[in-house]
Amino acid sequence: MSSREAMLGRIRTALGRGPLEGDAAKAVSSGLTNPARNLVPQRAQGAPADLVERFIAMAGEASASLDRLSDISEAPGKISAYLAGQNLPTALRRAEHPLLDAPDWQTGSLLSVTTGATDGDDLVGLSVALCGVAETGTLVMASGAQSPITLNFLPDTHIVLVRTADIVGGYEDSWDRLRRHMGASGVMPRAVNFITGPSRSADIEQTLLLGAHGPRRLHILLLDDST
């Protein structure tokens, strides 16, 4: 018995039932293979260029900063300038994502770059988003070897690269992207994080505190790959 089967077995025991059968099983299977879409708000609809502009505006309202890139080669320089402007260290821990393998991280920048998941000692992390949601300026991160979940939470400053081609309208569209990301295997990533602005909390005496449960800064690199 696999760990998954064991876990589901314990849940069934707690509910006082066995595996679903007949029409109930068919209904669940149909909902998973042909999920029904919910209502999509007006602000999550529009032409691709309009959605990109809405994403930029909503991300700004959520206290994220943003730089636009016309080519991935601009990433080291943009990141160097951002870190210098914030008086932050130039040591960068980046995900081992193919898109981040392209730039020359040494020439023309003062960055000290390492790769892979972080153990919590890195102050600046760089990831690639699965997509961005224009509706709320949210970044969708699917965990995996190319997107370590530790980079989403442990560094004090999180920098995320997202392509304009990966900006979608609403959350329903982001789940469609995730299903395509899963491919024929149909296996969900271990974790899917929806990140809207830097970490914050206002539940302590109603005082807004940034960095309460994760990065205190979120900087977005928006790569225009429309050409």
Side-chain angles (χ1 to χ4, degrees), residues 56-66 82 86 136-137 158 196-200 208 210 215-220:
I56 293 172
M58 297 304 294
E61 289 191 19
S63 301
S65 54
L66 185 144
Y82 168 74
Q86 298 291 320
T136 52
H158 192 197
T196 308
S199 172
R200 68 188 71 201
L208 182 63
L210 295 178
R216 69 179 65 243
R217 302 176 195 85
L218 175 64
H219 187 62
I220 300 170

Side-chain angles (χ1 to χ4, degrees), residues 5 8 10 18 20 25 35 42 46 52 60 166 196 201 224:
E5 291 169 337
L8 293 176
R10 289 194 293 271
L20 292 178
Q42 184 66 39
V52 168
D166 291 327
T196 308
S201 175
D224 186 0

Side-chain angles (χ1 to χ4, degrees), residues 146-194:
Q146 298 177 356
S147 182
I149 192 173
T150 54
L151 290 177
N152 298 345
F153 294 102
L154 298 184
D156 207 40
T157 299
H158 192 197
I159 302 174
V160 180
L161 179 74
V162 62
R163 304 183 310 152
T164 54
D166 291 327
I167 301 298
V168 301
Y171 288 100
E172 293 295 325
D173 303 305
S174 71
W175 287 114
D176 290 341
R177 286 296 182 103
L178 180 60
R179 293 184 187 101
R180 291 204 294 272
H181 174 74
M182 289 159 53
S185 70
V187 177
M188 282 278 289
R190 185 175 183 181
V192 179
N193 300 128
F194 288 73

Side-chain angles (χ1 to χ4, degrees), residues 79-216:
I79 294 173
S80 293
Y82 168 74
L83 296 178
Q86 298 291 320
N87 196 28
L88 294 172
T90 56
L92 176 71
R93 187 77 170 182
R94 71 168 180 85
E96 293 183 293
H97 193 284
L99 193 56
L100 300 179
D101 291 338
D104 180 352
W105 292 98
Q106 303 304 319
T107 305
S109 81
L110 300 177
L111 298 174
S112 174
V113 181
T114 54
T115 61
T118 177
D119 59 5
D121 291 334
D122 301 287
L123 296 178
V124 183
L126 172 62
S127 305
V128 177
L130 175 68
C131 64
V133 182
E135 180 182 349
T136 52
T138 297
L139 296 163
V140 181
M141 316 294 293
S143 68
Q146 298 177 356
S147 182
I149 192 173
T150 54
L151 290 177
N152 298 345
F153 294 102
L154 298 184
D156 207 40
T157 299
H158 192 197
I159 302 174
V160 180
L161 179 74
V162 62
R163 304 183 310 152
T164 54
D166 291 327
I167 301 298
V168 301
Y171 288 100
E172 293 295 325
D173 303 305
S174 71
W175 287 114
D176 290 341
R177 286 296 182 103
L178 180 60
R179 293 184 187 101
R180 291 204 294 272
H181 174 74
M182 289 159 53
S185 70
V187 177
M188 282 278 289
R190 185 175 183 181
V192 179
N193 300 128
F194 288 73
I195 300 174
T196 308
S199 172
R200 68 188 71 201
S201 175
D203 57 1
I204 303 175
E205 298 183 354
Q206 296 184 336
T207 300
L208 182 63
L209 177 66
L210 295 178
H213 312 291
R216 69 179 65 243

Side-chain angles (χ1 to χ4, degrees), residues 18-35:
L20 292 178
E21 298 178 351
D23 291 341
K26 291 179 181 178
V28 171
S29 177
S30 176
L32 291 173
T33 55
N34 299 293

